[in-house]
Amino acid sequence: MKADVKSPHSILDKYTALLDISCRLNSEKNFEQLLKLIADEATKHVDAERATIFILDKNKGELWAKIALGVSDTIRFDARLGIAGAVLIAAKPLVVEDAYRSPLFYPSIDSNTGFHTRNILSVPLRTPKQEIIGVFQVLNKRDGKFTTEDEHFVQALANQAAIALENAQALSELEIRQQELIQENQSLRKEVEERFTTRSILGTSAKINEIRSIIERTSDTSVSVLITGENGTGKELSARAIHYMSARRTKPFVAVNCAALPEPLVESELFGIEKGVATGVERRVGRIESANGGTLFLDEIGDLSLTAQAKLLRVLQEREVEWVGGRRPVPVDIRLLAATNKDLKEEIRQNRFRQDLFFRLNVIHVRMPALREIRMDIPLLATYFLRKHAKEVGRDIQNFSADSLKTLTTYQWPGNVRELENEIKRAMVLATGREIQVQDLSEHIVEERLAVPEAEAGKKPGQKQSLKDRVTTLEIHMIRDAMAQTEGDRRRAARILGLSHQGLLNKLKRYGLES
Ligand SMILES: Nc1ncnc2c1ncn2[C@@H]1O[C@H](COP(=O)(O)OP(=O)(O)O)[C@@H](O)[C@H]1O
Ligand SMILES: [Mg+2]
């Protein structure tokens, strides 16, 4: 027989118990364990046969519960039904002394579980923000009726339970979200890996085929590769392909543009810097070290200072980096890829590039062709960019008119594939029809076509082209560059070109370059 509930001693006991339960509730993070703990404590302290916690599923408008301890079935029902539903709607406690006599009672739960409900004490599960997240019920007081004191105790327990349940639910949602993020991350990684293989390097010309083949052949090694070529020829694209084809693909690919690093920062950026080397300097891990295990891509390596070149050489020889202001070197395992649009041999002759570093980099050499060397690939690339940017530009343009494609194929493309891509994007924005027409292309591209004899289309420069035509093309290029450089200032452009002002005006007129 339990202690008399009315004795002050027993009240104190209950509230001490409540404090203790509250602590345990807060340390239980597993939702199901928590439900069990709450139910166990409630039945024990109010001397009832069973306790049930109904959780409100707001989206479905249903209450659900693990119906009884030890029974793993979950029941769900319309949140407006039964005594639990009534408590939910009224948002206050309810004591039912004879369940089967109450019009609110929903007997099908009993018939499902085989339990016979006599009386019920039911209270809302309310969070501190006054949100009702469910209903808490205690069934069948062993010894008579539920008292007001039971009601207070169960309500107090329910308030603690609501907090703990809310936390546990938030936590499990976080865990689910985290799982989703991990999966998303994995599939994105896979997508990236696929996207950057040699399949991303488009073209059917012999030169592009050869590049794909070299990259595939180096994929199971960690040798350095030097990638040369003009701007916009796909040097970085190839570097990524090399990395994502290699065994290092799951490790970082770190690209550093040496030309973009201001001289005083080059060393700390590449090699890392210890805190306090100069006033206010924070500790910073170098890019070389962040590529550990993976690939470091040094773009525009021809612009690296001689001091940095010496330090880089040391990294390659010793396989360790020395931080600026660091005490001891840190071992690193990187594969180095480097790119440049400069002629490194010439840079060596001018004492601007170290020969020993050059030999280290140039184990394999990949030379990206200028776009004008692979004119046969222009239609393929142009069509690819058309599809690639359709969404972004919001246009459903599938094709080029024969004439516009011919114009694109004839142009010299000083900016190579990058320029082609931008030109296509621009034309897509301006196009009014479902095909790109000549008039959608930039003026200078169309004009060059007019200036260049048909014979050059599809041919390598120098092939079957008269000197006069070549000179004309060159002139147009130089004039355009000078005009771009001076933002259309004809006097300054004339000076750059070594022409008189009038001389330039005449040429602009002759080639139709006046804007
Ligand atoms: N063969 C190619 N196939 C598909 N896209 C290419 C190709 N070559 C270059 N590109 C694209 O052209 C742009 C410039 O290439 P990028 O690698 O940055 O050139 P670089 O590093 O030589 O300046 C990028 O958007 C790249 O994806
Ligand atoms: Mg680049």
Side-chain angles (χ1 to χ4, degrees):
M1 189 68 211
K2 292 271 157 161
D4 177 7
V5 289
K6 295 214 171 50
S7 93
H9 182 65
S10 124
I11 292 176
L12 189 63
D13 276 355
K14 275 199 175 161
Y15 286 90
T16 313
L18 198 59
L19 268 177
D20 167 57
I21 297 166
S22 169
C23 284
R24 280 190 288 142
L25 289 185
N26 287 326
S27 52
E28 179 57 71
K29 303 292 178 234
N30 179 295
F31 200 75
E32 303 230 333
Q33 289 299 325
L34 201 55
L35 291 176
K36 181 167 162 26
L37 180 64
I38 296 163
D40 282 348
E41 293 298 334
T43 47
K44 188 165 99 198
H45 288 279
V46 300
D47 199 22
E49 286 175 13
R50 177 176 284 196
T52 310
I53 297 150
F54 295 96
I55 303 291
L56 178 64
D57 180 339
K58 268 189 259 162
N59 296 331
K60 294 192 176 137
E62 287 177 345
L63 283 167
W64 66 266
K66 295 269 179 209
I67 196 56
L69 305 177
V71 180
S72 62
D73 309 36
T74 305
I75 56 153
R76 281 188 165 269
F77 56 90
D78 188 315
R80 292 164 299 188
L81 291 177
I83 289 171
V87 169
L88 190 74
I89 292 162
K92 4 182 241 235
L94 181 65
V95 178
V96 174
E97 288 183 358
D98 186 346
Y100 281 83
R101 286 242 184 109
S102 164
L104 293 170
F105 185 63
Y106 186 51
S108 79
I109 299 177
D110 269 8
S111 50
N112 277 341
T113 59
F115 184 79
H116 183 82
T117 306
R118 280 184 287 112
N119 48 21
I120 304 179
L121 164 56
S122 189
V123 300
L125 279 169
R126 198 194 305 260
T127 69
K129 284 192 197 136
Q130 301 302 309
E131 192 192 352
I132 297 186
I133 61 166
V135 174
F136 186 22
Q137 283 189 348
V138 191
L139 311 176
N140 295 4
K141 176 92 175 172
R142 284 191 208 276
D143 187 19
K145 298 174 182 173
F146 288 109
T147 62
T148 317
E149 199 185 307
D150 289 337
E151 193 182 314
H152 289 161
F153 180 82
V154 171
Q155 184 65 69
L157 179 58
N159 292 343
Q160 296 303 314
I163 298 172
L165 288 168
E166 202 184 28
N167 288 341
Q169 202 156 28
L171 196 73
S172 76
E173 271 160 22
L174 270 181
E175 274 163 5
I176 290 169
R177 185 70 196 121
Q178 194 187 10
Q179 276 307 315
E180 285 171 359
L181 283 176
I182 290 172
Q183 269 168 18
E184 198 176 315
N185 197 335
Q186 278 168 351
S187 68
L188 281 176
R189 178 183 283 278
K190 219 167 154 222
E191 203 184 307
V192 168
E193 284 170 14
E194 302 240 309
R195 186 165 330 147
F196 290 124
T197 60
T198 42
R199 270 178 290 144
S200 66
I201 306 172
L202 301 181
T204 54
S205 57
K207 284 185 172 147
I208 294 291
N209 285 340
E210 175 62 13
I211 284 166
R212 273 195 299 264
S213 149
I214 295 177
I215 292 176
E216 278 156 22
R217 275 177 286 153
T218 70
S219 68
D220 56 355
T221 72
S222 267
V223 295
S224 292
V225 181
L226 179 65
I227 308 167
T228 59
E230 292 178 12
N231 284 336
T233 49
K235 296 187 295 295
E236 179 154 359
L237 186 71
S238 294
R240 285 184 195 275
I242 294 172
H243 171 72
Y244 287 103
M245 298 285 287
S246 78
R248 293 171 178 259
R249 72 176 74 89
T250 57
K251 297 287 165 53
F253 173 85
V254 175
V256 180
N257 184 344
C258 301
L261 290 178
E263 187 51 38
L265 294 186
V266 174
E267 291 182 35
S268 57
E269 191 68 21
L270 285 179
F271 307 101
I273 188 163
E274 276 300 347
K275 187 182 165 82
V277 168
T279 29
V281 165
E282 286 300 316
R283 182 176 189 273
R284 219 181 131 84
V285 179
R287 306 297 297 269
I288 295 179
E289 209 174 319
S290 25
N292 201 7
T295 304
L296 177 70
F297 172 52
L298 293 180
D299 202 357
E300 318 252 12
I301 196 157
D303 289 349
L304 207 57
S305 70
L306 284 165
T307 339
Q309 287 177 32
K311 279 192 98 171
L312 178 63
L313 187 66
R314 206 191 156 275
V315 172
L316 299 178
Q317 282 164 345
E318 311 295 328
R319 297 174 182 280
E320 49 188 33
V321 266
E322 264 175 55
W323 288 46
V324 178
R327 293 222 178 76
R328 64 180 79 87
V330 181
V332 284
D333 163 32
I334 53 158
R335 178 185 200 177
L336 184 65
L337 305 179
T340 181
N341 57 8
K342 289 191 174 165
D343 176 359
L344 286 187
K345 293 209 174 111
E346 180 55 28
E347 296 296 300
I348 293 168
R349 271 192 291 278
Q350 302 286 337
N351 290 324
R352 285 192 295 251
F353 204 85
R354 291 181 68 116
Q355 185 161 32
D356 44 9
L357 180 59
F358 174 77
F359 287 134
R360 284 244 163 209
L361 299 177
N362 195 33
V363 179
I364 303 276
H365 177 204
V366 172
R367 181 185 163 276
M368 303 304 296
L371 187 55
R372 62 187 168 278
E373 295 172 48
I374 46 166
R375 285 185 199 278
M376 67 171 287
D377 286 332
I378 292 178
L380 175 75
L381 285 165
T383 311
Y384 164 72
F385 293 134
L386 207 60
R387 312 246 151 92
K388 179 176 163 192
H389 297 294
K391 223 189 202 151
E392 181 191 339
V393 175
R395 292 284 160 82
D396 180 28
I397 301 171
Q398 299 283 333
N399 249 313
F400 294 91
S401 73
D403 222 19
S404 69
L405 205 53
K406 201 165 183 183
T407 307
L408 291 174
T409 322
T410 327
Y411 181 59
Q412 288 293 311
W413 299 111
N416 296 297
V417 185
R418 182 177 296 117
E419 187 187 3
L420 174 65
E421 180 164 9
N422 290 335
E423 179 60 25
I424 304 295
K425 247 201 269 189
R426 178 187 172 279
M428 287 173 81
V429 173
L430 297 180
T432 46
R434 292 181 48 90
E435 276 193 337
I436 302 277
Q437 304 289 339
V438 176
Q439 64 263 29
D440 303 326
L441 302 175
S442 297
E443 236 167 279
H444 64 267
I445 293 178
V446 180
E447 274 153 8
E448 187 172 289
R449 162 103 192 273
L450 299 177
V452 175
E454 285 283 304
E456 205 205 344
K459 299 255 164 68
K460 288 179 189 173
Q463 260 187 357
K464 283 192 182 172
Q465 202 195 3
S466 73
L467 177 64
K468 190 163 164 285
D469 290 335
R470 299 276 291 154
V471 171
T472 304
T473 312
L474 184 66
E475 243 182 8
I476 291 171
H477 268 297
M478 290 181 66
I479 292 171
R480 241 190 24 236
D481 286 349
M483 291 292 283
Q485 206 181 324
T486 60
E487 292 173 325
D489 181 334
R490 294 173 182 189
R491 284 185 193 279
R492 275 176 54 218
R495 236 173 290 140
I496 290 173
L497 293 164
L499 293 172
S500 68
H501 184 222
Q502 190 55 48
L504 175 62
L505 295 186
N506 292 343
K507 285 188 193 290
L508 286 174
K509 191 157 185 205
R510 184 176 332 139
Y511 299 134
L513 296 176
E514 306 142 296
S515 48

